[in-house]
Structures are given as structure tokens and as C-alpha cells.
């Protein structure tokens, strides 16, 4: 693992954007796995600036998002579909058909999950996967005690995750209890991984993931077995 400690969220976002941009500059048809949540928001803003000011083009990039709630329409402002369109995709020159997000508004979730995996494989696999980390050590919605062998699947959200994500909803009861998430295997098959963490509330999870035992209790700990992971953390999240 490569560790980069930066001063603050702004620096983390800039460094992360440079890594994503570098991937696109070197291979315009890169397959990138993107994440949602508060963590990568600044990175998306930086990438939009690079698109506007530095002529970075995303016209050939193919994307796969990590996860999506079950039970929210795509237009719902809390859906990850909405988040990606509003915070990133609608501001850049990505082709609509190159955007892939799990479709949770479908009867047969298992079929959707199998199809998602198949599509990732058909594109040649993920070149770079961007990840945040949950306070409970989750990556994507792979909650503690998940099987490391899992591919894209339906997950039940942890109480801690429901509580953490309730900040985006009017009532905690409105937070979906289920989601579709890429599995740990899907994530580990990416050629490169970029893990971002900021703020003191992530310090404990990050410390456990990086220095504790490799265990499904802390899903992010599996990343230590990946050959090309860069962790960018701000001083508050740093365990160093
Ligand atoms: P956050 O979520 O970026 O909103 O903190 C990260 C995560 O839960 O993976």
C-alpha cells in the first residue's frame, strides 16, 4: 500500500483528482469505478475544473459505480444515480452509454447483479477503483462480516451505516435498509485502487484496516492483499 498524508480535505481531493486524471490521460478508454458519499465530492469538483480548464476529456471513459440503494427511484435526490449525475456526470463530456450504475428499480435484483458483473468483465475489468471507507470499515456497502468472495450482490445495511447516512435524509426511517453493492471480489479485481479518508471520525476504521488483522470484521482490511492500493488521507484521518 502507498500512503499519502495531506493537510486537509481540499488537498486530498486535489491529489485524488490528479490520480484519476492521470489514468484518463494515459488511457482514454479507462474503466473507472466511482464511489459516492461526502468523501469523493471534492475530487469530482476538481475533475470538473480539470475538464473545463485543462481540456481533460472523459469522452471515452467507462464508469461503474460501487453501489446503489434499493427502494429509491433514480430521480430521488438521495439515490446514488442522482448524486453522480448532479455532482459529476452532467458537468463533463462522458457518453451516457458509458455510465454504469446498479439498477435497483428492477424485480430481479440477482439478475441485475449478475449482469453488472458480466458487463464489468466485458469491458476488460476496472482499471482504477475509487473508494471511501465507512466508520465501520466498510467499502462500498460491504458491511462487517461480509464474505470476501462476494461479487455484486444485494446487501443489508448495518445499523451504523443507516445512522451515518441518515444525515442526508429527513428521517432515519427514510434511509433504505437494502442496497446493491459491488462485492469485495469485484473491488479486489480492479487493477488499481484509490482509497480516500478524511476527518477524525474515519481514523479508527482506517487504522484498523491498515494495521489490524485482515478480517471480514473490517472489510477494508482485505485491501492490504491488493498489489496496487494508494491511500490518501488527511491529517485527521491519519493513523501515522
Ligand atoms: P462518506 O461515506 O464518504 O459519506 O463518509 C463513505 C462510506 O461510507 O464508504
Amino acid at each position: 500500500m502507498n500512503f499519502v498524508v495531506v493537510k486537509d480535505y481540499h488537498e486530498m481531493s486535489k491529489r485524488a483528482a490528479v490520480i484519476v486524471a492521470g489514468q484518463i490521460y494515459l488511457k482514454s478508454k479507462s474503466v473507472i469505478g466511482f464511489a459516492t458519499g461526502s468523501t469523493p465530492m471534492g475530487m469530482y469538483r476538481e475533475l470538473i475544473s480539470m475538464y473545463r480548464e485543462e481540456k481533460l476529456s472523459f469522452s471515452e471513459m467507462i464508469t461503474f459505480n460501487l453501489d446503489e440503494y434499493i427502494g429509491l427511484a433514480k430521480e430521488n435526490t438521495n439515490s446514488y444515480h442522482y448524486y453522480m449525475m448532479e455532482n459529476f456526470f452532467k458537468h463533463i463530456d462522458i457518453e451516457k452509454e458509458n455510465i454504469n450504475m446498479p439498477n435497483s428499480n428492477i424485480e430481479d435484483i440477482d439478475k441485475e447483479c449478475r449482469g453488472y458483473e458480466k458487463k464489468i468483465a466485458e469491458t476488460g475489468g476496472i482499471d482504477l477503483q475509487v473508494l471511501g471507507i465507512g466508520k465501520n470499515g466498510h467499502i462500498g456497502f460491504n458491511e462487517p462480516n461480509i464474505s470476501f468472495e462476494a461479487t455484486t450482490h444485494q446487501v443489508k445495511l448495518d445499523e451504523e451505516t443507516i445512522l451515518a447516512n441518515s444525515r442526508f435524509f429527513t428521517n432515519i426511517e427514510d434511509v433504505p435498509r437494502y442496497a446493491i453493492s459491488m462485492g469485495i471480489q469485484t473491488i479486489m479485481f480492479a487493477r488499481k485502487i484509490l482509497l480516500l479518508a478524511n476527518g477524525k471520525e474515519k481514523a479508527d476504521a482506517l487504522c484498523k484496516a491498515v494495521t489490524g488483522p485482515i478480517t471480514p470484521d473490517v472489510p477494508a482490511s482485505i485491501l492490504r492483499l491488493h498489489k496496487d492500493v494508494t491511500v490518501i488521507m488527511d491529517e485527521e484521518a491519519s493513523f501515522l
Side-chain angles (χ1 to χ4, degrees):
M1 280 182 149
N2 305 309
F3 297 106
V4 181
V5 185
V6 293
K7 192 160 72 54
D8 54 20
Y9 181 75
H10 182 61
E11 274 306 306
M12 180 195 79
S13 304
K14 278 171 70 166
R15 293 290 282 265
V18 166
I19 289 177
V20 174
Q23 176 67 42
I24 307 282
Y25 278 130
L26 291 175
K27 183 183 171 191
S28 54
K29 288 195 171 102
S30 286
V31 181
I32 314 273
F34 281 119
T36 51
S38 308
T39 309
M41 201 87 104
M43 178 191 80
Y44 294 132
R45 279 197 293 269
E46 294 293 332
L47 286 169
I48 293 166
S49 300
M50 291 168 106
Y51 164 69
R52 289 184 181 150
E53 286 153 32
E54 296 172 24
K55 303 277 175 284
L56 171 64
S57 173
F58 297 94
S59 61
E60 294 189 291
M61 173 178 77
I62 298 168
T63 69
F64 285 89
N65 259 77
L66 266 179
D67 44 22
E68 178 61 284
Y69 288 120
I70 293 177
L72 299 185
K74 284 181 183 168
E75 304 72 37
N76 186 302
T77 53
N78 278 312
S79 78
Y80 289 161
H81 189 276
Y82 185 90
Y83 171 107
M84 289 306 295
M85 296 314 290
E86 289 301 308
N87 292 306
F88 191 34
F89 294 148
K90 81 173 193 190
H91 305 283
I92 58 169
D93 62 343
I94 188 167
E95 297 291 339
K96 274 209 172 61
E97 62 268 24
N98 287 344
I99 298 173
N100 297 284
M101 291 185 244
N103 177 13
S104 59
N105 291 291
I106 198 161
E107 195 114 319
D108 194 341
I109 297 280
D110 286 345
K111 190 170 167 210
E112 169 65 17
C113 294
R114 286 193 301 276
Y116 203 65
E117 285 289 326
K118 188 160 172 269
K119 199 151 186 206
I120 293 172
E122 280 167 3
T123 61
I126 295 171
D127 291 304
L128 173 65
Q129 176 66 54
V130 179
L131 298 174
I133 183 169
K135 282 195 263 184
N136 62 1
H138 77 194
I139 44 177
F141 272 137
N142 293 286
E143 304 287 30
N145 298 316
I146 200 90
S147 159
F148 282 154
E149 275 184 84
T151 54
T152 300
H153 63 308
Q154 175 170 334
V155 292
K156 186 173 188 323
L157 304 190
D158 224 51
E159 284 308 315
E160 200 173 342
T161 300
I162 293 168
L163 186 63
N165 291 5
S166 65
R167 69 190 192 278
F168 300 113
F169 293 78
T170 319
N171 300 303
I172 191 163
E173 292 73 36
D174 298 338
V175 184
R177 269 39 185 176
Y178 293 91
I180 294 179
S181 178
M182 280 186 195
I184 294 291
Q185 194 188 101
T186 325
I187 293 168
M188 288 294 281
F189 277 0
R191 290 180 191 92
K192 289 183 200 157
I193 293 177
L194 176 57
L195 176 67
L196 307 177
N198 69 285
K200 55 182 182 313
E201 68 276 13
K202 298 293 175 68
D204 184 49
L206 190 59
C207 181
K208 281 188 187 142
V210 171
T211 64
I214 295 172
T215 163
D217 290 349
V218 183
S221 63
I222 191 73
L223 298 175
R224 304 221 305 273
L225 301 183
H226 191 281
K227 64 181 185 339
D228 192 348
V229 179
T230 299
V231 182
I232 308 182
M233 56 202 149
D234 73 356
E235 285 172 3
E236 284 190 348
S238 173
F239 55 89
L240 293 172

